Amino acid sequence: MDYCIRYVPLPISVKGVTAMDSDGFYNIYINSRLSYEEQKKTIAHEMEHIVRGDFFSFASLEEVERM
């Protein structure tokens, strides 16, 4: 699995988001406004989505986040 982590200013309500491009490369965006500890937790959360294969799930975003 290929991925890149980028630290960018996001709205405070968004800790992180991951997008997969057409080549299957994962772009993980982490809110640069979070503390170091929150950034680590958010990276782990986003990586879990990748490992679980959530990008290939037919479940809604709300269902995926509850898992």
Side-chain angles (χ1 to χ4, degrees), residues 33-49:
R33 297 177 176 150
L34 297 175
S35 70
Y36 176 73
E37 288 301 317
E38 280 297 312
Q39 287 177 349
K40 285 189 342 181
K41 289 179 189 175
T42 303
I43 290 169
H45 175 87
E46 295 302 321
M47 293 296 292
E48 187 175 337
H49 285 301

PDB file of all heavy atoms in Angstrom, residues 33-49:
ATOM      1  N   ARG A  33      -3.553  21.812  12.645  1.00  0.00           N
ATOM      2  CA  ARG A  33      -3.917  22.572  13.843  1.00  0.00           C
ATOM      3  C   ARG A  33      -4.074  21.687  15.079  1.00  0.00           C
ATOM      4  O   ARG A  33      -4.230  22.193  16.186  1.00  0.00           O
ATOM      5  CB  ARG A  33      -5.211  23.334  13.592  1.00  0.00           C
ATOM      6  CG  ARG A  33      -5.067  24.364  12.491  1.00  0.00           C
ATOM      7  CD  ARG A  33      -6.362  25.051  12.200  1.00  0.00           C
ATOM      8  NE  ARG A  33      -6.126  26.074  11.201  1.00  0.00           N
ATOM      9  CZ  ARG A  33      -7.012  26.458  10.324  1.00  0.00           C
ATOM     10  NH1 ARG A  33      -8.221  25.930  10.313  1.00  0.00           N
ATOM     11  NH2 ARG A  33      -6.723  27.395   9.442  1.00  0.00           N
ATOM     12  N   LEU A  34      -4.040  20.378  14.890  1.00  0.00           N
ATOM     13  CA  LEU A  34      -4.174  19.456  16.019  1.00  0.00           C
ATOM     14  C   LEU A  34      -2.867  19.352  16.782  1.00  0.00           C
ATOM     15  O   LEU A  34      -1.783  19.575  16.226  1.00  0.00           O
ATOM     16  CB  LEU A  34      -4.559  18.062  15.514  1.00  0.00           C
ATOM     17  CG  LEU A  34      -5.898  17.907  14.808  1.00  0.00           C
ATOM     18  CD1 LEU A  34      -6.036  16.491  14.274  1.00  0.00           C
ATOM     19  CD2 LEU A  34      -7.040  18.244  15.740  1.00  0.00           C
ATOM     20  N   SER A  35      -2.965  18.922  18.026  1.00  0.00           N
ATOM     21  CA  SER A  35      -1.754  18.656  18.804  1.00  0.00           C
ATOM     22  C   SER A  35      -1.049  17.433  18.211  1.00  0.00           C
ATOM     23  O   SER A  35      -1.643  16.650  17.458  1.00  0.00           O
ATOM     24  CB  SER A  35      -2.111  18.373  20.271  1.00  0.00           C
ATOM     25  OG  SER A  35      -2.780  17.118  20.371  1.00  0.00           O
ATOM     26  N   TYR A  36       0.202  17.268  18.575  1.00  0.00           N
ATOM     27  CA  TYR A  36       0.975  16.126  18.092  1.00  0.00           C
ATOM     28  C   TYR A  36       0.282  14.809  18.444  1.00  0.00           C
ATOM     29  O   TYR A  36       0.180  13.905  17.617  1.00  0.00           O
ATOM     30  CB  TYR A  36       2.385  16.178  18.689  1.00  0.00           C
ATOM     31  CG  TYR A  36       3.239  15.004  18.334  1.00  0.00           C
ATOM     32  CD1 TYR A  36       3.753  14.852  17.051  1.00  0.00           C
ATOM     33  CD2 TYR A  36       3.528  14.020  19.279  1.00  0.00           C
ATOM     34  CE1 TYR A  36       4.531  13.763  16.709  1.00  0.00           C
ATOM     35  CE2 TYR A  36       4.305  12.928  18.950  1.00  0.00           C
ATOM     36  CZ  TYR A  36       4.810  12.802  17.666  1.00  0.00           C
ATOM     37  OH  TYR A  36       5.577  11.710  17.330  1.00  0.00           O
ATOM     38  N   GLU A  37      -0.227  14.700  19.668  1.00  0.00           N
ATOM     39  CA  GLU A  37      -0.903  13.472  20.103  1.00  0.00           C
ATOM     40  C   GLU A  37      -2.161  13.214  19.283  1.00  0.00           C
ATOM     41  O   GLU A  37      -2.429  12.081  18.894  1.00  0.00           O
ATOM     42  CB  GLU A  37      -1.238  13.537  21.598  1.00  0.00           C
ATOM     43  CG  GLU A  37      -0.028  13.416  22.499  1.00  0.00           C
ATOM     44  CD  GLU A  37       0.737  12.115  22.291  1.00  0.00           C
ATOM     45  OE1 GLU A  37       0.096  11.044  22.158  1.00  0.00           O
ATOM     46  OE2 GLU A  37       1.972  12.170  22.245  1.00  0.00           O
ATOM     47  N   GLU A  38      -2.955  14.250  19.028  1.00  0.00           N
ATOM     48  CA  GLU A  38      -4.164  14.099  18.223  1.00  0.00           C
ATOM     49  C   GLU A  38      -3.816  13.740  16.777  1.00  0.00           C
ATOM     50  O   GLU A  38      -4.517  12.966  16.138  1.00  0.00           O
ATOM     51  CB  GLU A  38      -5.019  15.368  18.267  1.00  0.00           C
ATOM     52  CG  GLU A  38      -5.851  15.498  19.507  1.00  0.00           C
ATOM     53  CD  GLU A  38      -6.884  14.388  19.643  1.00  0.00           C
ATOM     54  OE1 GLU A  38      -7.604  14.082  18.684  1.00  0.00           O
ATOM     55  OE2 GLU A  38      -6.968  13.819  20.750  1.00  0.00           O
ATOM     56  N   GLN A  39      -2.735  14.295  16.271  1.00  0.00           N
ATOM     57  CA  GLN A  39      -2.294  13.949  14.913  1.00  0.00           C
ATOM     58  C   GLN A  39      -1.937  12.467  14.842  1.00  0.00           C
ATOM     59  O   GLN A  39      -2.314  11.781  13.885  1.00  0.00           O
ATOM     60  CB  GLN A  39      -1.103  14.806  14.496  1.00  0.00           C
ATOM     61  CG  GLN A  39      -1.466  16.234  14.190  1.00  0.00           C
ATOM     62  CD  GLN A  39      -0.273  17.098  13.849  1.00  0.00           C
ATOM     63  OE1 GLN A  39       0.882  16.710  14.016  1.00  0.00           O
ATOM     64  NE2 GLN A  39      -0.545  18.309  13.373  1.00  0.00           N
ATOM     65  N   LYS A  40      -1.231  11.950  15.848  1.00  0.00           N
ATOM     66  CA  LYS A  40      -0.869  10.529  15.867  1.00  0.00           C
ATOM     67  C   LYS A  40      -2.118   9.652  15.883  1.00  0.00           C
ATOM     68  O   LYS A  40      -2.196   8.659  15.151  1.00  0.00           O
ATOM     69  CB  LYS A  40       0.014  10.201  17.077  1.00  0.00           C
ATOM     70  CG  LYS A  40       1.421  10.675  16.937  1.00  0.00           C
ATOM     71  CD  LYS A  40       2.403  10.202  17.995  1.00  0.00           C
ATOM     72  CE  LYS A  40       1.862   9.682  19.265  1.00  0.00           C
ATOM     73  NZ  LYS A  40       2.870   9.268  20.237  1.00  0.00           N
ATOM     74  N   LYS A  41      -3.097  10.001  16.712  1.00  0.00           N
ATOM     75  CA  LYS A  41      -4.345   9.236  16.785  1.00  0.00           C
ATOM     76  C   LYS A  41      -5.088   9.284  15.457  1.00  0.00           C
ATOM     77  O   LYS A  41      -5.653   8.272  15.012  1.00  0.00           O
ATOM     78  CB  LYS A  41      -5.248   9.796  17.895  1.00  0.00           C
ATOM     79  CG  LYS A  41      -4.776   9.528  19.288  1.00  0.00           C
ATOM     80  CD  LYS A  41      -5.739  10.162  20.284  1.00  0.00           C
ATOM     81  CE  LYS A  41      -5.196  10.114  21.682  1.00  0.00           C
ATOM     82  NZ  LYS A  41      -6.071  10.823  22.635  1.00  0.00           N
ATOM     83  N   THR A  42      -5.089  10.440  14.828  1.00  0.00           N
ATOM     84  CA  THR A  42      -5.796  10.604  13.564  1.00  0.00           C
ATOM     85  C   THR A  42      -5.119   9.813  12.454  1.00  0.00           C
ATOM     86  O   THR A  42      -5.794   9.184  11.625  1.00  0.00           O
ATOM     87  CB  THR A  42      -5.906  12.098  13.194  1.00  0.00           C
ATOM     88  OG1 THR A  42      -6.560  12.787  14.265  1.00  0.00           O
ATOM     89  CG2 THR A  42      -6.684  12.295  11.907  1.00  0.00           C
ATOM     90  N   ILE A  43      -3.804   9.793  12.424  1.00  0.00           N
ATOM     91  CA  ILE A  43      -3.081   8.984  11.440  1.00  0.00           C
ATOM     92  C   ILE A  43      -3.439   7.516  11.626  1.00  0.00           C
ATOM     93  O   ILE A  43      -3.724   6.807  10.654  1.00  0.00           O
ATOM     94  CB  ILE A  43      -1.559   9.203  11.544  1.00  0.00           C
ATOM     95  CG1 ILE A  43      -1.199  10.611  11.065  1.00  0.00           C
ATOM     96  CG2 ILE A  43      -0.800   8.150  10.734  1.00  0.00           C
ATOM     97  CD1 ILE A  43       0.226  11.023  11.382  1.00  0.00           C
ATOM     98  N   ALA A  44      -3.444   7.046  12.861  1.00  0.00           N
ATOM     99  CA  ALA A  44      -3.804   5.648  13.129  1.00  0.00           C
ATOM    100  C   ALA A  44      -5.223   5.362  12.651  1.00  0.00           C
ATOM    101  O   ALA A  44      -5.481   4.307  12.055  1.00  0.00           O
ATOM    102  CB  ALA A  44      -3.660   5.347  14.622  1.00  0.00           C
ATOM    103  N   HIS A  45      -6.136   6.283  12.879  1.00  0.00           N
ATOM    104  CA  HIS A  45      -7.519   6.122  12.456  1.00  0.00           C
ATOM    105  C   HIS A  45      -7.608   6.035  10.933  1.00  0.00           C
ATOM    106  O   HIS A  45      -8.277   5.152  10.390  1.00  0.00           O
ATOM    107  CB  HIS A  45      -8.352   7.297  12.985  1.00  0.00           C
ATOM    108  CG  HIS A  45      -9.765   7.293  12.518  1.00  0.00           C
ATOM    109  ND1 HIS A  45     -10.764   6.613  13.182  1.00  0.00           N
ATOM    110  CD2 HIS A  45     -10.357   7.873  11.442  1.00  0.00           C
ATOM    111  CE1 HIS A  45     -11.903   6.784  12.532  1.00  0.00           C
ATOM    112  NE2 HIS A  45     -11.685   7.549  11.475  1.00  0.00           N
ATOM    113  N   GLU A  46      -6.936   6.935  10.249  1.00  0.00           N
ATOM    114  CA  GLU A  46      -6.976   6.942   8.777  1.00  0.00           C
ATOM    115  C   GLU A  46      -6.311   5.687   8.203  1.00  0.00           C
ATOM    116  O   GLU A  46      -6.794   5.112   7.223  1.00  0.00           O
ATOM    117  CB  GLU A  46      -6.325   8.214   8.231  1.00  0.00           C
ATOM    118  CG  GLU A  46      -7.062   9.495   8.593  1.00  0.00           C
ATOM    119  CD  GLU A  46      -8.510   9.527   8.114  1.00  0.00           C
ATOM    120  OE1 GLU A  46      -8.786   9.059   6.995  1.00  0.00           O
ATOM    121  OE2 GLU A  46      -9.367  10.027   8.867  1.00  0.00           O
ATOM    122  N   MET A  47      -5.233   5.241   8.808  1.00  0.00           N
ATOM    123  CA  MET A  47      -4.552   4.022   8.353  1.00  0.00           C
ATOM    124  C   MET A  47      -5.464   2.807   8.530  1.00  0.00           C
ATOM    125  O   MET A  47      -5.452   1.891   7.706  1.00  0.00           O
ATOM    126  CB  MET A  47      -3.237   3.816   9.109  1.00  0.00           C
ATOM    127  CG  MET A  47      -2.175   4.856   8.808  1.00  0.00           C
ATOM    128  SD  MET A  47      -1.628   4.847   7.087  1.00  0.00           S
ATOM    129  CE  MET A  47      -0.787   3.290   7.007  1.00  0.00           C
ATOM    130  N   GLU A  48      -6.255   2.811   9.591  1.00  0.00           N
ATOM    131  CA  GLU A  48      -7.188   1.711   9.827  1.00  0.00           C
ATOM    132  C   GLU A  48      -8.195   1.605   8.675  1.00  0.00           C
ATOM    133  O   GLU A  48      -8.536   0.498   8.246  1.00  0.00           O
ATOM    134  CB  GLU A  48      -7.910   1.915  11.160  1.00  0.00           C
ATOM    135  CG  GLU A  48      -8.761   0.744  11.555  1.00  0.00           C
ATOM    136  CD  GLU A  48      -9.372   0.903  12.933  1.00  0.00           C
ATOM    137  OE1 GLU A  48      -8.841   1.670  13.755  1.00  0.00           O
ATOM    138  OE2 GLU A  48     -10.402   0.256  13.176  1.00  0.00           O
ATOM    139  N   HIS A  49      -8.656   2.741   8.171  1.00  0.00           N
ATOM    140  CA  HIS A  49      -9.561   2.726   7.018  1.00  0.00           C
ATOM    141  C   HIS A  49      -8.903   2.044   5.814  1.00  0.00           C
ATOM    142  O   HIS A  49      -9.540   1.267   5.103  1.00  0.00           O
ATOM    143  CB  HIS A  49      -9.959   4.146   6.614  1.00  0.00           C
ATOM    144  CG  HIS A  49     -10.955   4.786   7.525  1.00  0.00           C
ATOM    145  ND1 HIS A  49     -12.199   4.257   7.780  1.00  0.00           N
ATOM    146  CD2 HIS A  49     -10.879   5.942   8.248  1.00  0.00           C
ATOM    147  CE1 HIS A  49     -12.849   5.055   8.613  1.00  0.00           C
ATOM    148  NE2 HIS A  49     -12.065   6.070   8.921  1.00  0.00           N
TER     149      HIS A  49
END
